[in-house]
Tab-separated table of all heavy atoms in Angstrom:
chain	number	residue	atom	x	y	z
L	82	GLU	N	-3.037	-13.156	-21.478
L	82	GLU	CA	-4.450	-13.253	-21.083
L	82	GLU	C	-5.051	-11.865	-21.315
L	82	GLU	O	-4.325	-10.870	-21.399
L	82	GLU	CB	-4.580	-13.702	-19.655
L	82	GLU	CG	-3.964	-15.058	-19.374
L	82	GLU	CD	-3.978	-15.382	-17.867
L	82	GLU	OE1	-4.491	-14.571	-17.061
L	82	GLU	OE2	-3.495	-16.524	-17.535
L	83	LEU	N	-6.392	-11.852	-21.342
L	83	LEU	CA	-7.074	-10.599	-21.524
L	83	LEU	C	-6.642	-9.575	-20.478
L	83	LEU	O	-6.500	-8.357	-20.778
L	83	LEU	CB	-8.605	-10.763	-21.487
L	83	LEU	CG	-9.177	-11.625	-22.605
L	83	LEU	CD1	-10.724	-11.788	-22.394
L	83	LEU	CD2	-8.912	-11.057	-23.963
L	84	GLY	N	-6.459	-10.064	-19.265
L	84	GLY	CA	-6.111	-9.171	-18.132
L	84	GLY	C	-4.755	-8.597	-18.204
L	84	GLY	O	-4.378	-7.711	-17.369
L	85	ASP	N	-3.952	-9.023	-19.144
L	85	ASP	CA	-2.583	-8.454	-19.314
L	85	ASP	C	-2.650	-7.151	-20.118
L	85	ASP	O	-1.597	-6.464	-20.217
L	85	ASP	CB	-1.658	-9.455	-20.006
L	85	ASP	CG	-1.483	-10.730	-19.173
L	85	ASP	OD1	-1.513	-10.616	-17.933
L	85	ASP	OD2	-1.349	-11.814	-19.780
L	86	SER	N	-3.812	-6.819	-20.664
L	86	SER	CA	-3.909	-5.551	-21.378
L	86	SER	C	-3.656	-4.424	-20.444
L	86	SER	O	-4.299	-4.328	-19.410
L	86	SER	CB	-5.340	-5.440	-21.968
L	86	SER	OG	-5.556	-6.437	-22.914
L	87	ALA	N	-2.695	-3.581	-20.786
L	87	ALA	CA	-2.287	-2.514	-19.888
L	87	ALA	C	-1.257	-1.656	-20.575
L	87	ALA	O	-0.831	-1.923	-21.712
L	87	ALA	CB	-1.670	-3.120	-18.601
L	88	LEU	N	-0.896	-0.598	-19.895
L	88	LEU	CA	0.280	0.206	-20.296
L	88	LEU	C	1.459	-0.330	-19.547
L	88	LEU	O	1.446	-0.598	-18.327
L	88	LEU	CB	0.056	1.684	-19.892
L	88	LEU	CG	-0.814	2.525	-20.796
L	88	LEU	CD1	-1.235	3.796	-20.061
L	88	LEU	CD2	-0.123	2.847	-22.107
L	89	TYR	N	2.590	-0.509	-20.237
L	89	TYR	CA	3.826	-0.955	-19.645
L	89	TYR	C	4.844	0.111	-19.757
L	89	TYR	O	5.199	0.582	-20.855
L	89	TYR	CB	4.265	-2.264	-20.306
L	89	TYR	CG	3.361	-3.382	-19.954
L	89	TYR	CD1	2.192	-3.652	-20.740
L	89	TYR	CD2	3.598	-4.277	-18.886
L	89	TYR	CE1	1.336	-4.691	-20.377
L	89	TYR	CE2	2.760	-5.276	-18.572
L	89	TYR	CZ	1.615	-5.478	-19.309
L	89	TYR	OH	0.781	-6.510	-18.989
L	90	PHE	N	5.335	0.565	-18.610
L	90	PHE	CA	6.326	1.639	-18.585
L	90	PHE	C	7.685	1.109	-18.145
L	90	PHE	O	7.770	0.262	-17.259
L	90	PHE	CB	5.908	2.775	-17.639
L	90	PHE	CG	4.672	3.506	-18.078
L	90	PHE	CD1	3.470	3.309	-17.426
L	90	PHE	CD2	4.745	4.434	-19.094
L	90	PHE	CE1	2.334	4.002	-17.876
L	90	PHE	CE2	3.662	5.146	-19.524
L	90	PHE	CZ	2.437	4.969	-18.913
L	91	CYS	N	8.658	1.659	-18.743
L	91	CYS	CA	10.047	1.417	-18.334
L	91	CYS	C	10.548	2.713	-17.742
L	91	CYS	O	10.177	3.822	-18.156
L	91	CYS	CB	10.860	1.034	-19.588
L	91	CYS	SG	12.612	1.129	-19.422
L	92	ALA	N	11.422	2.621	-16.727
L	92	ALA	CA	12.051	3.818	-16.125
L	92	ALA	C	13.557	3.475	-15.997
L	92	ALA	O	13.934	2.281	-15.916
L	92	ALA	CB	11.440	4.163	-14.785
L	93	SER	N	14.342	4.536	-15.877
L	93	SER	CA	15.758	4.289	-15.653
L	93	SER	C	16.281	5.281	-14.610
L	93	SER	O	15.675	6.328	-14.403
L	93	SER	CB	16.599	4.374	-16.936
L	93	SER	OG	16.744	5.680	-17.391
L	94	SER	N	17.330	4.929	-13.956
L	94	SER	CA	17.992	5.799	-12.984
L	94	SER	C	19.484	5.554	-12.999
L	94	SER	O	19.935	4.512	-13.521
L	94	SER	CB	17.432	5.556	-11.564
L	94	SER	OG	17.896	4.294	-11.053
L	95	PRO	N	20.245	6.485	-12.491
L	95	PRO	CA	21.713	6.352	-12.633
L	95	PRO	C	22.304	5.071	-12.090
L	95	PRO	O	23.190	4.471	-12.632
L	95	PRO	CB	22.239	7.582	-11.893
L	95	PRO	CG	21.130	8.551	-11.960
L	95	PRO	CD	19.891	7.774	-11.900
Side-chain angles (χ1 to χ4, degrees):
Chain L
E82 301 175 359
L83 297 178
D85 297 327
S86 296
L88 281 164
Y89 291 85
F90 292 106
C91 164
S93 74
S94 71

